[in-house]
Amino acid sequence: MKSLQGEVQLNIPATKAWEIFTNNETVAKINPEMLAGAEYLEGDGSPGSLRLFRLGPALHHFVKESVQKIEKIESGRCLGYEVIRGELKEMYDPYHVTVSFIPVPGKEGEQCIATWKAEFEPISPTTPMPENAKDAALGFLKLFETCGASD
């Protein structure tokens, strides 16, 4: 299986980043051009839950929606899911993503490192690496600071 990952430093605590990422209402307000809405189709966010991300116009050239089946959770730190419906599923099978928020040592109450990692298998040998997905995810995670600073 192939993989792609990246990270970005956030000037908010990991606990705040986790709250933003796991709250559908909050995460959908960060940048509607990138993420227009989020909702649980089944479940409450625990493993086995199905979460729909309706992506905004800024990403429609790549992906319009993504249905994710939550696979694992380490509360406050890490969430893993598999994309089970949407454009990414048509290009990669499987497509697993793990998003983590790790406190910066010595600055736990102020900063964290947000990491995004995808593990995937392209359906076709000509399918490109999902660089667009990585860049969009990291750019979106960086925007968590704007939401976290307002509290």
Side-chain angles (χ1 to χ4, degrees), residues 7 19 22-23 25 32 36 47 53-54 81 90 92 98 100 106 113 116 121 128 130 134-135 137 147:
E7 64 181 40
E19 288 171 21
T22 56
N23 183 302
E25 195 172 308
F53 273 3
R54 282 185 307 282
Y81 61 85
E90 295 167 13
Y92 311 98
T98 303
S100 304
I113 302 293
W116 177 92
E121 203 57 61
K134 179 187 92 169
D135 294 344
C147 187

Coordinates of all heavy atoms in Angstrom, one line a residue, residues 7 19 22-23 25 32 36 47 53-54 81 90 92 98 100 106 113 116 121 128 130 134-135 137 147:
E7 N 2.5 17.4 7.9 CA 2.1 18.0 9.2 C 2.2 19.5 9.2 O 2.8 20.1 8.3 CB 3.0 17.4 10.3 CG 4.5 17.8 10.2 CD 5.3 17.2 11.3 OE1 5.1 16.0 11.7 OE2 6.2 17.9 11.7
E19 N -11.3 19.1 19.6 CA -12.7 19.5 19.8 C -13.2 20.1 18.5 O -14.3 19.8 18.1 CB -12.8 20.6 20.9 CG -12.6 20.1 22.3 CD -12.6 21.3 23.3 OE1 -13.0 22.4 22.9 OE2 -12.0 21.1 24.4
T22 N -13.6 17.1 15.8 CA -14.7 16.2 16.0 C -16.1 16.8 16.2 O -17.1 16.0 16.3 CB -14.4 15.3 17.3 OG1 -14.2 16.2 18.4 CG2 -13.1 14.5 17.1
N23 N -16.2 18.1 16.2 CA -17.5 18.7 16.3 C -18.0 19.2 14.9 O -17.4 20.1 14.3 CB -17.4 19.9 17.2 CG -18.7 20.6 17.4 OD1 -19.4 21.0 16.5 ND2 -19.1 20.7 18.7
E25 N -20.5 20.8 13.8 CA -21.0 22.2 13.6 C -19.8 23.2 13.6 O -19.7 24.1 12.7 CB -21.9 22.6 14.8 CG -22.7 23.8 14.6 CD -23.7 24.1 15.7 OE1 -24.5 23.1 16.0 OE2 -23.7 25.1 16.3
P32 N -16.2 27.6 4.8 CA -17.2 26.9 4.0 C -16.8 26.7 2.5 O -17.4 25.9 1.8 CB -18.5 27.8 4.1 CG -18.3 28.6 5.4 CD -16.8 28.7 5.5
A36 N -18.2 22.6 3.3 CA -19.5 23.2 3.4 C -20.4 22.6 4.5 O -21.3 23.2 5.0 CB -20.2 23.1 2.1
P47 N -16.0 4.5 16.8 CA -15.7 3.6 15.7 C -16.9 2.9 15.1 O -17.8 2.5 15.8 CB -14.7 2.6 16.4 CG -14.1 3.4 17.4 CD -15.2 4.3 17.9
F53 N -18.6 14.4 4.8 CA -18.0 15.7 4.6 C -18.5 16.2 3.2 O -18.2 15.6 2.2 CB -16.5 15.7 4.6 CG -15.8 15.8 5.9 CD1 -16.5 15.8 7.1 CD2 -14.4 15.8 6.0 CE1 -15.9 16.0 8.3 CE2 -13.8 15.9 7.2 CZ -14.5 16.0 8.4
R54 N -19.3 17.3 3.2 CA -19.6 17.9 1.9 C -18.6 19.1 1.7 O -18.6 20.0 2.5 CB -21.1 18.5 2.0 CG -22.1 17.4 1.9 CD -23.5 18.0 1.8 NE -23.8 18.9 2.9 CZ -24.2 18.5 4.2 NH1 -24.2 17.2 4.4 NH2 -24.4 19.4 5.1
Y81 N -9.9 6.9 9.7 CA -11.2 6.5 9.0 C -10.8 6.0 7.6 O -9.7 6.2 7.1 CB -12.1 7.7 8.9 CG -11.6 8.9 8.2 CD1 -11.7 9.0 6.8 CD2 -11.0 10.0 8.9 CE1 -11.2 10.2 6.1 CE2 -10.5 11.1 8.2 CZ -10.6 11.2 6.8 OH -10.2 12.3 6.2
E90 N -13.5 6.4 -5.8 CA -13.4 6.0 -7.2 C -12.0 6.0 -7.8 O -11.8 5.4 -8.8 CB -14.3 7.0 -8.0 CG -15.8 6.9 -7.7 CD -16.6 8.1 -8.2 OE1 -16.1 8.8 -9.1 OE2 -17.7 8.2 -7.8
Y92 N -9.1 5.5 -5.5 CA -8.3 4.7 -4.6 C -9.1 3.7 -3.8 O -10.2 4.0 -3.3 CB -7.5 5.6 -3.6 CG -6.9 6.7 -4.2 CD1 -7.5 8.0 -4.2 CD2 -5.6 6.6 -4.8 CE1 -6.9 9.1 -4.8 CE2 -5.0 7.7 -5.4 CZ -5.6 9.0 -5.4 OH -5.0 10.0 -5.9
T98 N -5.5 9.0 8.7 CA -5.3 9.2 10.1 C -5.0 10.7 10.4 O -4.0 11.2 9.7 CB -4.2 8.3 10.7 OG1 -4.6 6.9 10.4 CG2 -4.1 8.5 12.2
S100 N -3.9 13.3 13.4 CA -3.5 13.3 14.8 C -3.1 14.7 15.3 O -2.7 15.5 14.4 CB -2.2 12.4 15.0 OG -2.4 11.1 14.5
G106 N 6.6 21.1 26.2 CA 6.9 22.4 26.8 C 5.9 23.5 26.5 O 5.9 24.5 27.1
I113 N 1.1 19.8 17.0 CA 1.4 19.4 15.6 C 0.3 18.6 15.1 O -0.1 17.5 15.7 CB 2.7 18.5 15.5 CG1 3.9 19.3 16.1 CG2 3.0 18.1 14.0 CD1 4.4 20.5 15.3
W116 N -1.5 14.6 9.1 CA -2.4 13.9 8.2 C -1.7 12.9 7.4 O -0.6 13.1 6.9 CB -3.0 15.0 7.2 CG -3.9 14.4 6.2 CD1 -5.3 14.3 6.3 CD2 -3.6 13.9 4.9 NE1 -5.8 13.8 5.1 CE2 -4.8 13.5 4.2 CE3 -2.4 13.7 4.2 CZ2 -4.8 13.0 3.0 CZ3 -2.4 13.2 2.9 CH2 -3.6 12.8 2.3
E121 N -4.4 2.6 -2.1 CA -4.0 1.8 -3.3 C -4.7 2.4 -4.5 O -6.0 2.4 -4.5 CB -4.4 0.4 -3.1 CG -3.6 -0.6 -3.9 CD -2.1 -0.5 -3.6 OE1 -1.7 -0.8 -2.5 OE2 -1.4 -0.3 -4.6
P128 N -3.0 9.5 -10.0 CA -1.9 10.3 -9.4 C -1.9 10.1 -7.8 O -3.0 9.7 -7.3 CB -2.1 11.7 -9.8 CG -3.6 11.8 -10.0 CD -4.0 10.4 -10.6
P130 N -2.4 11.4 -4.1 CA -3.4 12.4 -3.7 C -2.8 13.6 -3.1 O -3.2 14.0 -2.0 CB -4.3 11.6 -2.7 CG -3.3 10.6 -2.2 CD -2.4 10.2 -3.3
K134 N -3.8 16.0 0.3 CA -2.9 16.3 1.4 C -2.8 17.8 1.6 O -2.9 18.3 2.7 CB -1.5 15.8 1.1 CG -0.5 16.1 2.2 CD 0.9 15.7 1.8 CE 1.6 16.8 1.1 NZ 3.0 16.7 1.0
D135 N -2.6 18.6 0.5 CA -2.5 20.0 0.6 C -3.7 20.7 1.1 O -3.7 21.6 2.0 CB -2.1 20.6 -0.8 CG -0.8 20.2 -1.3 OD1 0.0 19.7 -0.5 OD2 -0.5 20.3 -2.5
A137 N -6.0 19.2 3.1 CA -6.2 18.8 4.5 C -5.3 19.6 5.4 O -5.7 20.2 6.4 CB -5.9 17.3 4.6
C147 N -10.3 29.5 14.4 CA -11.4 29.1 15.2 C -11.0 29.0 16.7 O -11.7 29.4 17.6 CB -11.9 27.8 14.7 SG -13.4 27.2 15.5

